[in-house]
């Protein structure tokens, strides 16, 4: 099996996870991209009520402003990962970063809901090609073990930082006008694009003789994701027959995808990769973790702004405490991984997320911020404990030529989970809200908060199986060296 490129010319007396200046240059550019993705999503979150008021969108349509992005992101992620492996990681990263820049800006000119939804969908597609290319550049540029673990934890912490800063910046920009939430990322994208052209080395174009791009697989898996999410979202305001028909079409598309992959000489997803129990657990736990997180934050933003009447800026500062993971991920989590292993950290993080959501179940109409603070703080800690280690496990032990695929699978799981979480939380909220009175709105939020709690508990259950698996990252034996690696291996974001 080919192994990721290791750094040469490194001082042997340096720490095993020490990075050279060249390494830091590459890492900072890629961190800039994941920071961009995080800040873009976060700014939109806090701007949603202003967008709804200006464009006259219903709750269902408002949810699709978010879901259009995550559907484009998750639906095309596998194609994006495969494209990075086939056409060159740097080439895909740079090209799709430029597309991201263009359509992010176009979203700011939308004057109807459908225009904004289309712009967000294409932006999500661009992120679907850009993100796995960036992740695979990291996993092929840093040696597996302490060095790669450090790079991935810095990378995930930066993405978390983008989300946290985006909450505040989004509030400030929305105060001036929600369209600035779309214009601001254009400047950051341009700077990152210039830096990428300067610092990221050109990747050799892979040998593609006899290889093909599995477009049929990409179309069927995208159709499956869109139809399943649509079925969940429409469940509360359409007939049972229509819901079952939509979900059935989604499952049929998924089965068609699996059949295509099983027979394809050059599949989009080599099904043999799922023989790794750790990888499967990582993706399932990541899917459910993202479902809970995105559903929860959507509900909290609506609660604070629509029921409590908080401004976008007040909401931003209220939720910024979740961003504690941006500090913990690069500074504390590497030490915890080395001591306890990825599996234990992931289970601990998912338990913390479950407790966070449970603390919000008795949500009151006049809760003070100190009453909300423990739950929000716990969620930030949960993200720090789970996200980075899951990223490590989802890409660990994978062949270099399939690192793009591994990254694509990981981010597909996150974005599919995010779309399902948003759709399910919205469906329950709409179904449980009998009127527009404050009491009815509160009933809707309380009912919908069971969605993220259920998702987090299921993720914890799945991750717990890794504690019993000797090869699935249970203890502290498979991720960073002691004899081979001294960390651990279990599972998987945010994608935020």
């Amino acid at each position: 099996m080919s192994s990721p490129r290791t750094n040469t010319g490194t001082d042997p007396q340096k720490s095993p996870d020490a990075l050279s200046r060249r390494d830091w240059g590459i890492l900072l550019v890629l961190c800039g991209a994941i920071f961009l993705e995080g800040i873009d999503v976060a700014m939109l979150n806090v701007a949603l009520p202003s967008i709804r008021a200006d464009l006259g969108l219903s709750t269902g349509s408002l949810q699709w402003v978010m879901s259009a992005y995550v559907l484009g992101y998750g639906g095309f992620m596998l194609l994006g990962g495969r494209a990075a492996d086939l056409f060159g990681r740097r080439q895909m990263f740079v090209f799709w970063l430029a597309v991201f820049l263009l359509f992010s800006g176009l979203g700011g000119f939308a004057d109807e809901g459908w225009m904004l939804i289309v712009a967000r969908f294409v932006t999500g597609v661009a992120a679907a090609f850009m993100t796995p290319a960036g992740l695979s550049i990291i996993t092929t540029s840093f040696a597996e073990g302490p060095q790669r673990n450090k790079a991935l934890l810095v990378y995930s912490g930066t993405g978390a930082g983008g989300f946290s800063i985006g909450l505040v910046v989004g509030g400030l920009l929305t105060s001036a006008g929600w369209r600035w939430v779309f214009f601001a990322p254009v400047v950051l994208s341009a700077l990152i694009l210039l830096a990428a052209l300067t610092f990221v080395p050109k990747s050799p174009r892979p040998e593609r003789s006899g290889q093909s791009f599995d477009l049929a697989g990409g179309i069927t898996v995208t159709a499956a994701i869109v139809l399943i999410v649509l079925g969940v979202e429409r469940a509360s305001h359409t007939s049972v027959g229509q819901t079952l028909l939509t979900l059935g079409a989604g499952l049929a598309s998924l089965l068609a995808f699996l059949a295509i992959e099983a027979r394809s000489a050059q599949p989009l997803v080599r099904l043999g990769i799922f023989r790794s129990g750790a990888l499967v657990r990582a993706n399932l736990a990541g899917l459910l973790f993202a479902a809970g997180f995105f559903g929860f934050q959507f509900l909290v933003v609506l609660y604070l702004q629509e029921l409590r009447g908080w401004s976008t800026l007040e909401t931003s500062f209220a939720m910024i405490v979740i961003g504690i993971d941006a500090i913990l991920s690069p500074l504390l989590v590497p030490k915890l991984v080395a001591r306890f292993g990825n599996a234990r950290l992931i289970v601990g993080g998912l338990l913390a997320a479950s407790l966070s959501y449970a603390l919000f179940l008795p949500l009151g109409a006049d809760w003070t911020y100190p009453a909300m603070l423990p739950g929000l703080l716990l969620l930030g800690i949960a993200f720090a404990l789970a996200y980075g280690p899951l990223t490590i496990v989802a890409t660990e032990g994978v062949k270099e030529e399939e690192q793009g695929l591994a990254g694509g699978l990981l981010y597909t799981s996150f974005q599919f989970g995010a779309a399902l979480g948003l759709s399910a939380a919205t469906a329950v909220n709409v179904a449980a809200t009998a009127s527009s009175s404050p009491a009815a709105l509160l009933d809707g939020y309380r009912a919908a908060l069971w969605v993220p709690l259920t998702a987090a508990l299921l993720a914890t259950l799945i991750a717990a199986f890794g504690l019993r698996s000797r090869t699935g990252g249970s203890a502290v034996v498979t991720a960073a060296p002691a004899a081979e690696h001294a960390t651990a291996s279990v599972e998987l974001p945010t994608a935020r």
Side-chain angles (χ1 to χ4, degrees), residues 84-89 91 203-209 211:
D85 291 334
L86 283 179
F87 303 112
R89 299 179 176 99
Q91 293 90 321
S203 52
R205 188 175 295 273
E207 174 57 45
R208 299 198 306 271
S209 300
Q211 299 190 50

Side-chain angles (χ1 to χ4, degrees), residues 155-389:
Y155 182 72
S156 61
T158 305
F163 184 84
S164 305
I165 293 173
L167 291 173
V168 176
V169 174
L172 290 170
L173 292 174
T174 303
S175 298
W178 64 263
R179 296 181 188 277
W180 287 104
V181 166
F182 295 91
F183 297 146
V186 173
V187 178
L188 182 57
S189 300
L191 293 175
I192 296 170
L193 182 60
L194 292 174
L197 293 172
T198 302
F199 294 107
V200 178
K202 292 183 179 180
S203 52
R205 188 175 295 273
E207 174 57 45
R208 299 198 306 271
S209 300
Q211 299 190 50
S212 60
F213 199 60
D214 185 11
L215 186 58
I219 291 173
T220 50
V221 74
T222 301
I225 292 172
V226 172
L227 289 168
I228 291 172
V229 173
L230 181 64
V232 173
E233 192 275 331
R234 289 169 55 87
S236 62
H237 48 269
T238 191
S239 67
V240 175
Q242 287 181 319
T243 298
L244 292 177
L245 183 63
T246 305
L247 292 175
L251 291 175
S253 297
L254 182 60
L255 291 175
F257 167 71
L258 294 175
I260 290 170
E261 301 309 281
R263 294 186 305 204
S264 175
Q266 298 293 331
L268 181 65
V269 178
R270 183 180 62 83
L271 298 183
I273 200 170
F274 294 112
R275 294 193 183 102
S276 168
L279 182 144
V280 171
R281 283 191 299 273
N283 281 273
L284 288 176
L287 184 153
L288 290 166
F289 182 54
F293 181 83
F294 275 81
F296 175 79
Q297 70 174 15
F298 182 72
L299 293 169
V300 171
V301 167
L302 291 181
Y303 165 75
L304 292 176
Q305 295 194 31
E306 300 199 330
L307 181 63
R308 302 297 301 279
W310 289 25
S311 69
T312 53
L313 195 56
E314 288 173 323
T315 302
S316 300
F317 279 111
M319 297 186 69
I320 195 174
V321 67
I322 299 175
I324 191 174
D325 63 335
I327 300 172
L328 297 179
S329 290
L331 298 181
L332 179 61
V333 175
K335 298 176 183 177
L336 296 177
V337 168
R339 181 170 182 180
F340 299 107
N342 291 307
R344 293 173 183 170
L345 259 66
I346 292 164
V347 171
L350 294 173
L351 284 172
S354 301
L355 179 57
S356 169
Y357 303 146
L359 289 174
F360 269 81
L361 289 179
L363 189 68
D366 56 353
W367 263 23
T368 62
Y369 184 64
M372 305 177 212
L373 184 59
L376 296 175
L377 185 60
L378 258 178
L379 187 56
I381 294 172
F383 211 96
L385 294 177
Y387 183 71

Side-chain angles (χ1 to χ4, degrees), residues 19-32 137 142 192 195-196 198-201:
L19 304 180
S20 68
R21 291 182 180 178
R22 177 181 175 279
D23 292 332
W24 277 113
I26 297 172
L27 182 58
L28 289 176
V29 170
L30 299 173
C31 283
I137 290 172
F142 299 90
I192 296 170
T198 302
F199 294 107
V200 178

